[in-house]
Amino acid sequence: MSEVPELRVLRYFVAVAEELHFGRAAVRLHISQPALSVQIRKLEHSLGAKLFDRTSRHVELTEVGTVLLEEAHKLLVGADRLVDATRDALRGVRGTLVVGFQGNAAAELTPQILKAFQTRYPRVQVEMRSHDFADPYAGLANGSVDIAFVRPPLLMQDWLSIETLFVEPRVLVTSSSSPLAARDQVSVEEVLDEAFVARRAPEYWRDFWLATSSRDGNTPVLGAEVGDVDECFEAILSGRGIAFSQASTQRYYGRPGLAFIPVTGLPHSPLAIAWRNDLGAQTASDFVETARVLAALELVPLAATPQPPAAEAPFAATYQEPSRFCATGQPTYCGTNSAREPR
């Protein structure tokens, strides 16, 4: 039987697997490239399997390496949680709940949810963790967070449960010097020839924010690609393009030089709370219930809490039985039903 690899060596492997470049991985790990190569060869020898296909021009994971990467992520996250739980116990804290998010999270709901949860569960420490556009699951996929505020659409996963908290309009963000800035509203058809700032993200999520489904087959003109909200707005201010965003963005990221214009004929953006259904964490369930109660109060301007659609609607389970809906493993999108205008 092979020996279980040390956590240190697994961290080396994960760095190489994520970078797919030994030099970059070595810099990230603060070790020399030759030393890293030796450690990976030793790991392959101990497991009796080739983890990477290497040539002088590129590195890629083998099928075995892909499996190890997924399991290594779980093990390393578990090890980190073990340390955190031990430290929490020493401080008299019942546990830590890590909440992933992007941008403005759940807008005005966020502080209300956090305050209510901490009042009801004072011994649980809540840690908010920001993620960029590259990870629409906001840390749930690799297990680095317990729960997350996300912006569907998301691809279905066996482990994913999701519930829409509210939907809000999307707006067009331009520089204030653009002729569009003086408009009371615009339609997608009127900006088809404009350069857009794209999100550096999985294609299905990137396309939602480029409104590709509302362009009648017209390919978006791209002026820039960005990793987060701040980069997006800097690109707009520098005249490299325009972008669609949720309406609440204006209240959290508005700054001189930007204009936010209502858009007609564009599906709304849903904000959902998502969690891993394979962990069964009670604190996550308590947080979801707190969010659900507060979302019903409709505290976010211009947003609405969605009503459950008719039973025959293809995505009805998103609202009523999110864990069943998101556990089929089929290549379908979670939350796309939420992107309709509230009645």
Side-chain angles (χ1 to χ4, degrees):
M1 181 177 176
S2 301
E3 293 184 5
V4 177
E6 296 179 17
L7 294 180
R8 172 180 57 85
V9 177
L10 285 178
R11 294 188 194 279
Y12 291 170
F13 163 74
V14 168
V16 177
E18 291 180 343
E19 299 290 345
L20 292 178
H21 191 283
F22 277 79
R24 290 195 297 268
V27 171
R28 169 174 157 181
L29 294 164
H30 305 291
I31 64 173
S32 69
Q33 183 174 334
L36 177 59
S37 298
V38 168
Q39 291 294 333
I40 297 300
R41 283 198 297 270
K42 285 183 177 179
L43 176 61
E44 290 178 319
H45 178 73
S46 69
L47 294 175
K50 188 177 182 181
L51 302 175
F52 296 98
D53 284 324
R54 310 172 181 82
T55 70
S56 59
R57 301 181 67 89
H58 76 283
V59 176
E60 63 182 33
L61 280 167
T62 63
E63 185 175 346
V64 174
T66 300
V67 172
L68 179 60
L69 178 60
E70 181 178 350
E71 296 302 321
H73 271 308
K74 295 177 184 177
L75 183 59
L76 293 172
V77 168
D80 291 339
R81 289 182 183 226
L82 181 149
V83 173
D84 290 341
T86 303
R87 289 173 177 167
D88 288 343
L90 286 171
R91 294 185 290 118
V93 176
R94 197 182 88 183
T96 299
L97 184 72
V98 184
V99 181
F101 70 97
Q102 292 179 330
N104 60 19
E108 285 81 0
L109 263 186
T110 310
Q112 300 293 336
I113 293 171
L114 294 177
K115 181 180 179 181
F117 182 80
Q118 293 282 222
T119 298
R120 190 172 182 186
Y121 305 101
R123 294 186 61 197
V124 177
Q125 179 174 302
V126 178
E127 177 188 336
M128 298 292 290
R129 191 170 295 175
S130 178
H131 292 77
D132 60 24
F133 293 152
D135 183 9
Y137 296 99
L140 283 173
N142 64 15
S144 61
V145 306
D146 302 295
I147 202 161
F149 293 115
V150 295
R151 289 271 172 185
L154 297 176
L155 290 176
M156 271 188 177
Q157 307 292 342
D158 288 343
W159 46 261
L160 179 66
S161 289
I162 185 169
E163 182 170 331
T164 301
L165 297 181
F166 62 83
V167 292
E168 62 176 322
R170 279 188 280 177
V171 296
L172 182 70
V173 188
T174 74
S175 69
S176 56
S177 60
S178 167
L180 293 168
R183 299 285 299 277
D184 291 329
Q185 62 180 27
V186 296
S187 66
V188 177
E189 292 76 13
E190 292 176 291
V191 295
L192 290 177
D193 296 329
E194 298 284 340
F196 271 75
V197 178
R199 302 186 179 204
R200 194 176 299 116
E203 186 176 3
Y204 68 89
W205 204 72
R206 174 176 174 267
D207 286 351
F208 176 80
W209 290 104
L210 287 172
T212 56
S213 64
S214 301
R215 291 175 176 267
D216 293 327
N218 292 280
T219 302
V221 179
L222 301 185
E225 191 175 57
V226 295
D228 58 34
V229 178
D230 286 316
E231 287 183 11
C232 179
F233 288 169
E234 286 303 318
I236 292 171
L237 287 169
S238 63
R240 299 171 65 192
I242 59 180
F244 294 120
S245 187
Q246 64 267 24
S248 57
T249 303
Q250 181 175 6
R251 301 192 297 276
Y252 289 85
Y253 289 90
R255 63 190 71 177
L258 290 178
F260 297 79
I261 307 132
V263 183
T264 60
L266 191 62
H268 282 46
S269 169
L271 184 283
I273 191 164
W275 65 99
R276 296 191 66 108
N277 53 45
D278 57 349
L279 298 180
Q282 184 58 47
T283 50
S285 297
D286 295 337
F287 193 88
V288 170
E289 179 58 27
T290 302
R292 183 183 296 127
V293 169
L294 286 167
L297 301 179
E298 300 192 348
L299 302 173
V300 180
L302 303 179
T305 302
Q307 298 299 313
E312 66 273 13
F315 299 106
T318 302
Y319 298 100
Q320 297 172 330
E321 299 179 61
S323 59
R324 187 181 71 181
F325 166 68
C326 292
T328 63
Q330 299 302 312
T332 310
Y333 298 108
C334 295
T336 47
N337 63 315
S338 305
R340 64 183 68 192
E341 296 189 15
R343 298 182 184 278

